[in-house]
């Protein structure tokens, strides 16, 4: 088990649940429908990648720092830029429009991470994989 994957996965899950509750209750009347939808997208993707990290923490053949870095960096850039952009009207953060290009960079890092995982799966020796029919 990879402790780092585990900690990041639990942390992302923890924060996603808190932000999801915040979005469902406290921000519902503060944000426009589009802003709230964007916020919820950030929460969803953060939770998806929290679960991915938890699954990967139990897969020795998939755990390495490059994949971890791609998933963590991508999630931070993607989800957290969406949170700030969605809430800029109600947060005293000033102009955060520079974050607009950050969101797709985060998304690209996540796409690359998934692509690396696909390549790693194709490279696994077939004899190490248990057939579903067994």
């Amino acid at each position: 088990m990879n402790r780092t994957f585990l900690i990041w996965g639990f942390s992302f899950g923890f924060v996603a649940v808190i932000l999801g509750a915040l979005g469902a209750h406290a921000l519902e009347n503060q944000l426009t429908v589009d802003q709230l939808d964007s916020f919820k997208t950030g929460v969803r993707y953060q939770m998806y990648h929290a679960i991915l990290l938890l699954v990967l923490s139990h897969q020795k053949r998939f755990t390495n720092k490059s994949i971890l870095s791609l998933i963590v960096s991508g999630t931070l850039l993607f989800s957290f830029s969406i949170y700030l952009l969605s809430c800029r009207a109600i947060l005293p953060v000033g102009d955060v429009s520079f974050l607009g290009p950050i969101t797709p960079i985060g998304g690209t890092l996540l796409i690359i991470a998934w692509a690396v995982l696909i390549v790693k799966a194709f490279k696994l020796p077939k004899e190490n994989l248990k057939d579903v029919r067994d």
Side-chain angles (χ1 to χ4, degrees):
M1 179 181 313
N2 188 305
R3 183 174 179 260
T4 305
F5 276 98
L6 200 60
I7 291 169
W8 275 108
F10 286 146
S11 298
F12 278 161
F14 174 77
V15 172
V17 170
I18 291 170
L19 292 177
L22 180 72
H25 302 289
L27 298 178
E28 167 174 73
N29 297 321
Q30 303 293 318
L31 302 179
T32 67
V33 171
D34 288 342
Q35 290 169 329
L36 193 56
D37 283 345
S38 291
F39 188 89
K40 288 178 181 179
T41 297
V43 171
R44 244 187 342 271
Y45 273 73
Q46 183 176 332
M47 185 57 82
Y48 295 156
H49 290 91
I51 294 167
L52 175 63
L53 289 169
L54 295 174
V55 169
L56 290 176
S57 73
H58 290 71
Q59 303 294 320
K60 287 184 181 180
R61 61 191 112 188
F62 288 106
T63 56
N64 68 46
K65 289 185 181 189
S66 63
I67 294 173
L68 173 66
S69 297
L70 287 168
I71 296 168
V72 170
S73 301
T75 302
L76 288 171
L77 293 175
F78 183 82
S79 292
F80 287 83
S81 65
I82 288 177
Y83 300 146
L84 286 172
L85 287 166
S86 299
C87 296
R88 66 181 158 202
I90 61 171
L91 291 175
V93 291
D95 183 22
V96 292
S97 58
F98 70 92
L99 291 173
I102 300 296
T103 307
I105 292 170
T108 301
L109 294 176
L110 293 172
I111 291 167
I112 292 168
W114 283 100
V116 169
L117 290 169
I118 291 168
V119 169
K120 285 180 79 75
F122 273 112
K123 289 182 177 180
L124 288 174
K126 288 183 181 178
E127 61 272 5
N128 289 351
L129 300 175
K130 186 175 173 114
D131 192 330
V132 176
R133 294 172 289 184
D134 289 345

